[in-house]
Amino acid sequence: RLSMRLERVATHVPAGARLADIGSDHGYLPVALLNRGAISAAVAGEVALTPFHAAERTVRENELEQQVCVRLADGLAAIEAEDGITAVSMCGMGGETIRDILERGKARLSGQERLILQPNGGEQPLRLWLMEHDYRIVSEEVLRENRFDYEIIVAERTGPVKYTAEELYFGPLQMQARSPAFLLKWQRLLGKKQKTLNNFERAQKGVSEEKWQEVARQIRWISTLL
Ligand code: SAM
């Protein structure tokens, strides 16, 4: 069984996809989707040996060796042109890490793939990369599991797209939809940011003007949003 987080990610994988799950760890996502007949083939990429072996074991135990190719590779280097990948998932990593993997491996993308990204923090730099590379955000959600707020960002390369600084910070579609989970996340963050600013004020020295301004601006944005 998948966690609720990966279950939500799974709903964004198109039926019949050829999925590359990068940073697959145990390979749970591609194996669950294949067992359900939801996708037709998968690559599970892992950069570290222990999770790579764990993914191999999951695939073997499910007798899916014909459908899932487990590869020890850094990021998108796991993808080969012959795989005919139509969807790429990257879940449970920091947004900056996901962005760096996309940047380093962009030559491996045809531009036809749907990206299904589940960053743990660092959503803003990730959205910025997507915008700068002509990816439109086609779906977004916030969900809470085990006292963590998780975001899912689904993107497709459609051509030039422009998001405002606030849209990059909050997520353009989430700003519109204002789901309860989204609003709760930002209520919680507002409290944290206010504490940070108070600490800055007490510490005074050692905090750059720039950093102070950034947090103050975020507080303004969040207050306006809520
Ligand atoms: N995707 C799974 C999930 O969401 O439950 C596993 C998440 S786990 C926290 C992150 C995994 O990404 C780790 O197994 C790590 O080895 C892998 N990883 C980190 N950087 C990577 C990279 N550059 N290429 C491939 N895998 C990477």
Side-chain angles (χ1 to χ4, degrees), residues 3 5-6 21-26 45-48 51 73-76 90-93 97 101 104 118 120:
S3 62
R5 176 180 60 85
L6 287 180
D21 185 42
I22 306 299
S24 199
D25 197 357
H26 285 76
E46 250 305 328
V47 75
D74 180 11
L76 302 184
M90 290 193 250
C91 306
M93 292 179 264
T97 302
I101 289 174
R104 280 204 308 275
Q118 188 277 296
N120 296 339

Side-chain angles (χ1 to χ4, degrees), residues 79-143:
I79 300 176
E80 283 160 23
E82 308 81 70
D83 298 330
I85 293 301
T86 61
V88 177
S89 53
M90 290 193 250
C91 306
M93 292 179 264
E96 282 100 345
T97 302
I98 296 177
R99 176 203 59 197
D100 292 347
I101 289 174
L102 287 167
E103 179 58 31
R104 280 204 308 275
K106 61 188 175 193
R108 297 258 172 175
L109 297 174
S110 70
Q112 301 300 306
E113 310 85 353
R114 162 179 280 214
L115 306 182
I116 304 135
L117 311 173
Q118 188 277 296
N120 296 339
E123 291 82 10
Q124 184 185 33
L126 178 57
R127 286 193 196 96
L128 180 63
W129 188 93
L130 292 172
M131 179 178 89
E132 286 176 341
H133 294 83
D134 293 349
Y135 280 87
R136 177 178 299 279
I137 296 172
V138 295
S139 185
E140 284 182 310
E141 61 181 281
V142 177
L143 64 108

